[in-house]
Amino acid sequence: MARIASRLKSAFGLKRLPFTCDLDGEYFVHPAFEDGLKKLRYVADRRGIAALIAGAGAGKSTLIRSFMESLGKTAFRIAYVPEATCAIVDLYRTIARAFDIEPGFRKADICAQIKERLLALSMTRKVCPVLILDEAHLLNRAFFDELRILSNFDADSKEEMMLLLSGQTQLETSLRLSINEALAQRIVARVRLAGLDRAQVEDYVLHRLSQAGRTAPLFTDDGVEGLFRASRGVPRLIDRVAEASLLLALAGKKKEIDADMVAQAVLEVEP
């Protein structure tokens, strides 16, 4: 595999592979991404609850990383929980450990420990606690009221933390349920990410190639159109199809990638 990677870089003038998830460099910023980042920063600065909703592969994790990197290390204390599919007491334990708390055994005790730590950070150290629950669409629907209680300070008269619920579109469905109305009403901002449009797909591909060291276009116009149609503008799918296209171009000794090659690549990546 290392040999193929080296051949890809040599054949297409790349310093590194362009469509892998570990590509360092600047994020691809499009209007929805930029607007979402501004909204999340606003909620962090004023404290409160935000919801980030996006389909699989639409860039939710990238936006979260960008948001966390934008927060000052002295003014914010971030606790990131990648997924919470356990019992509520176990979720509380996970949150507690994310804030460097050794949790007790009973749910009420752990909740009190967390709230005590949040208040200490907020009022004594003047640091804003930020709790990010990723994959929140997997949460049991009854958990949302627990989160409302956890973020309730001084009879709901103060905002002492930021809570970010991030998940796929099912999260929005859960928030619309009457049982979760009290929490939903407290959400300051909702951020939604959809697929990229055709022009954005072209810019995205050029951006990824540029970050990998190539300045010249690699995909023809109809190749970009094929990528757009095959991926529906979802960045993760663009990456998978584009990477498969690169491998096909290498095998066929092609210098550019057109719609026919993209169509072949789709067959390679489809389950």
Side-chain angles (χ1 to χ4, degrees):
M1 184 61 189
R3 289 182 58 193
I4 295 177
S6 297
R7 288 169 56 202
L8 279 171
K9 288 184 280 188
S10 176
F12 299 110
L14 303 166
K15 295 179 181 178
R16 49 188 174 177
L17 299 180
F19 300 109
T20 59
C21 62
D22 60 347
L23 183 64
D24 295 325
E26 295 181 2
Y27 298 110
F28 175 68
V29 178
H30 53 90
F33 185 99
E34 186 174 26
D35 180 65
L37 183 57
K38 287 178 180 178
K39 285 181 178 178
L40 294 182
R41 277 308 312 264
Y42 169 73
V43 179
D45 290 337
R46 59 90 69 196
R47 309 188 185 198
I49 303 174
L52 169 56
I53 299 161
K60 173 173 57 68
S61 297
T62 304
L63 180 55
I64 290 175
R65 286 198 303 272
S66 179
F67 167 62
M68 290 193 296
E69 290 169 7
S70 76
L71 299 177
K73 294 183 179 180
T74 58
F76 297 91
R77 174 69 168 82
I78 304 170
Y80 173 74
V81 179
E83 66 177 74
T85 57
C86 49
I88 186 63
V89 68
D90 294 319
L91 174 59
Y92 275 145
R93 289 191 179 110
T94 301
I95 294 171
R97 292 188 180 103
F99 281 112
D100 298 325
I101 302 166
E102 184 55 41
F105 294 97
R106 297 190 310 158
K107 183 184 77 172
D109 294 337
I110 304 171
C111 183
Q113 285 179 291
I114 296 170
K115 296 190 77 165
E116 182 180 352
R117 174 60 56 87
L118 297 178
L119 281 171
L121 287 168
S122 178
M123 299 183 68
T124 305
R125 295 170 54 182
K126 305 302 180 185
V127 172
C128 175
V130 177
L131 173 58
I132 301 173
L133 294 181
D134 207 352
E135 307 299 337
H137 61 283
L138 299 175
L139 282 170
N140 185 301
R141 290 170 178 175
F143 287 8
F144 288 97
D145 203 46
E146 295 280 353
L147 295 173
R148 180 188 63 81
I149 294 169
L150 184 66
S151 60
N152 182 352
F153 295 90
D154 199 9
D156 230 5
S157 65
K158 291 183 179 180
E159 304 278 11
E160 302 288 358
M161 66 177 291
M162 178 194 181
L163 170 62
L164 172 57
L165 300 172
S166 173
Q168 296 182 24
T169 51
Q170 301 96 302
L171 173 60
E172 193 143 44
T173 302
S174 294
L175 291 171
R176 287 182 180 142
L177 296 175
S178 57
I179 190 175
N180 296 325
E181 184 176 0
L183 176 68
Q185 288 179 355
R186 294 181 60 204
I187 293 176
V188 176
R190 284 176 169 82
V191 176
R192 299 175 179 86
L193 292 178
L196 306 176
D197 63 28
R198 199 274 186 201
Q200 290 168 345
V201 169
E202 183 170 10
D203 290 342
Y204 175 82
V205 171
L206 290 172
H207 171 81
R208 297 286 280 186
L209 290 169
S210 174
Q211 290 292 304
R214 182 184 173 100
T215 56
L218 179 58
F219 288 79
T220 64
D221 285 344
D222 66 344
V224 172
E225 181 69 25
L227 270 180
F228 170 61
R229 293 182 180 277
S231 66
R232 306 181 304 281
V234 175
R236 186 184 297 157
L237 294 179
I238 297 171
D239 290 342
R240 297 289 75 77
V241 176
E243 184 174 25
S245 299
L246 272 179
L247 291 168
L248 288 171
L250 178 67
K253 299 182 179 180
K254 304 292 185 181
K255 294 299 183 183
E256 60 180 14
I257 298 171
D258 59 17
D260 289 339
M261 200 167 298
V262 170
Q264 293 179 52
V266 170
L267 297 177
E268 297 281 337
V269 301
E270 282 186 343

